[in-house]
Amino acid sequence: QVQLQESGPGLVKPSQTLSLTCTVSGGSISTGSYSWTWIRQPAGKGLEWIGHIYITGSTNYNPSLKSRVTLSIDTSKNQFSLKLSSVTAADTAVYYCARETPSGYFYMDVWGKGTTVIVSS
Amino acid sequence: DIQLTQSPSSLSASVGDRVTITCQASQDITNYLNWYQQKPGKAPKLLIYDASNLETGVPSRFSGSGSGTHFTFTISSLQPEDIATYYCQQYHLPRTFGQGTKLEIK
């Protein structure tokens, strides 16, 4: 079955750009009409949807982060990526990637284990 | 953005108890609501989609109901392994989550 794995630096300096990649295994990222999603969770807090991307490259972002977020997808590598610019301590969180089902019912049925990103100098 | 308000924020119950969590949406979301379970240090896990549909492999003691702005999540007989935080999530854009309900064993 499909599995997701986040990767990227665990420590980012303030004002720099956070970059994470999610690698899809056990299936092709291009199969079906899934959207590929990023969610984050500050320690001890709730879940925040960052945005998602389709294999067409079409994206939707959380308006609260839209000016700083860029999602991309690389079907040849079976990966999708998150870039978050101008980070501050408020961006410290566990970042999850997830797969959201295609049209009809929209739910996130496959999740990565999450990766912790700390923003600190 | 659509806001989801869960209640209670935390809950203590005994094994075998019936547990109910509610999720109130700030506007009509028809049945565009999912429920997730998150155990400490783990990723969320889908339990219920589209308000009342049980995800494959999820025990039948979990159920969901509701439509419009008021939704309910129920565990019919609490088991020790159900200790977790539960989140509702709506799937209009942008997707949003409730603040979570932390469930503990009494």
Side-chain angles (χ1 to χ4, degrees):
Chain A
Q1 63 274 27
V2 172
Q3 294 183 309
L4 307 181
Q5 177 68 59
E6 306 89 349
S7 60
L11 181 64
V12 181
K13 289 182 167 51
S15 79
Q16 294 191 342
T17 296
L18 178 161
S19 296
L20 296 175
T21 295
C22 183
T23 300
V24 179
S25 59
S28 171
I29 200 171
S30 301
T31 300
S33 303
Y34 298 101
S35 64
W36 303 95
T37 301
W38 289 96
I39 296 117
R40 70 180 183 178
Q41 185 174 37
K45 296 189 178 181
L47 299 160
E48 180 180 32
W49 183 79
I50 298 171
H52 64 207
I53 186 167
Y54 294 88
I55 58 166
T56 58
S58 174
T59 55
N60 286 292
Y61 297 131
N62 190 323
S64 68
L65 298 168
K66 186 175 183 177
S67 63
R68 299 194 292 129
V69 172
T70 302
L71 300 186
S72 59
I73 193 163
D74 187 336
T75 55
S76 67
K77 294 182 178 178
N78 236 28
Q79 294 176 335
F80 60 105
S81 299
L82 163 69
K83 290 189 184 299
L84 181 65
S85 64
S86 305
V87 297
T88 69
D91 296 309
T92 294
V94 176
Y95 285 76
Y96 295 99
C97 59
R99 182 183 80 171
E100 187 182 65
T101 55
S103 59
Y105 307 130
F106 293 91
Y107 52 83
M108 288 166 269
D109 64 340
V110 180
W111 293 67
K113 293 181 178 181
T115 188
T116 298
V117 178
I118 297 172
V119 178
S120 175
S121 55
Chain B
D1 298 5
I2 296 171
Q3 295 187 15
L4 298 178
T5 303
Q6 289 182 233
S7 61
S9 296
S10 63
L11 175 59
S12 182
S14 299
V15 172
D17 281 355
R18 183 181 183 87
V19 170
T20 298
I21 298 168
T22 65
C23 179
Q24 185 84 21
S26 59
Q27 63 189 71
D28 188 343
I29 58 171
T30 60
N31 56 347
Y32 288 11
L33 190 95
N34 306 319
W35 290 95
Y36 298 86
Q37 175 194 65
Q38 187 179 34
K39 296 184 178 181
K42 301 294 187 181
K45 174 187 175 184
L46 176 71
L47 299 180
I48 302 286
Y49 64 91
D50 212 46
S52 60
N53 294 289
L54 193 67
E55 170 69 338
T56 302
V58 173
S60 59
R61 64 181 181 273
F62 297 100
S63 65
S65 64
S67 66
T69 62
H70 187 79
F71 300 86
T72 300
F73 172 81
T74 300
I75 306 173
S76 60
S77 178
L78 185 66
Q79 299 302 303
E81 60 267 30
D82 300 336
I83 298 313
T85 299
Y86 293 83
Y87 293 93
C88 58
Q89 176 246 328
Q90 64 80 26
Y91 55 89
H92 288 279
L93 287 170
R95 315 295 194 228
T96 54
F97 292 86
Q99 82 278 17
T101 295
K102 187 174 183 179
L103 179 55
E104 299 174 328
I105 291 285
K106 192 181 295 183

